[in-house]
Amino acid sequence: MKKEFSTLGTFEFPADVQIIKGRLESEGIPVFLRDETTINSDPSISSAIGGVKLQVYTVDRERAQLIFDEIRNYATDKAGNLIICPNCKATKSEIYYSRSTIFYKLFPFFEPKKYRCMHCNFITRPST
């Protein structure tokens, strides 16, 4: 029987995902961390390969998403305040990199930081 995976989120470092992984596994949801070993061997390439991907079986996606949303951290500004989406005013945004040009694919650390609203998918740059 073929099982398909669904990615719940990505994390810059393997340590960032361990609490969520433990919580999902304690609820009986199998968790897979794609690219964890690669990033453990060389953390400086994390942004180049897109970080550690937290994956679950697609059949467990809905239940895992509810648990993940309970304990995840959302993006904050320099003062520690949650980023507010200018489109829908939600406070659930995550850092987003589009890697849209060959330059940013080769040198991802030069791409300006943006945020993607988890409610309406609106992408914005941080205010300075």
Side-chain angles (χ1 to χ4, degrees):
M1 179 175 159
K2 182 180 175 186
K3 301 236 180 184
E4 293 189 22
F5 297 98
S6 214
T7 301
L8 288 180
T10 58
F11 300 83
E12 188 173 6
F13 301 109
D16 297 341
V17 71
Q18 294 303 321
I19 291 174
I20 295 169
K21 177 182 185 262
R23 173 70 190 278
L24 290 171
E25 288 177 337
S26 74
E27 297 287 336
I29 299 172
V31 175
F32 306 91
L33 300 179
R34 189 168 159 215
D35 297 325
E36 175 190 27
T37 306
T38 305
I39 294 171
N40 272 333
S41 66
D42 187 0
S44 66
I45 65 169
S46 180
S47 61
I49 64 173
V52 178
K53 289 85 172 169
L54 173 67
Q55 296 184 323
V56 296
Y57 289 122
T58 303
V59 295
D60 295 325
R61 166 86 189 197
E62 191 173 313
R63 192 164 62 102
Q65 187 71 53
L66 291 173
I67 295 166
F68 182 47
D69 287 343
E70 281 179 21
I71 58 176
R72 75 198 294 176
N73 291 326
Y74 293 102
T76 58
D77 60 17
K78 292 178 183 177
N81 302 313
L82 288 170
I83 300 294
I84 298 171
C85 174
N87 187 46
C88 71
K89 307 300 182 219
T91 56
K92 295 182 177 184
S93 293
E94 291 185 332
I95 296 173
Y96 173 79
Y97 295 102
S98 61
R99 310 277 195 267
S100 58
T101 67
I102 189 70
F103 180 78
Y104 291 141
K105 288 178 183 176
L106 293 172
F107 306 102
F109 41 85
F110 284 121
E111 184 174 3
K113 185 185 292 185
K114 295 179 281 289
Y115 299 104
R116 181 174 56 105
C117 177
M118 302 307 292
H119 185 259
C120 69
N121 287 323
F122 186 78
I123 297 171
T124 185
R125 288 184 184 219
S127 55
T128 53

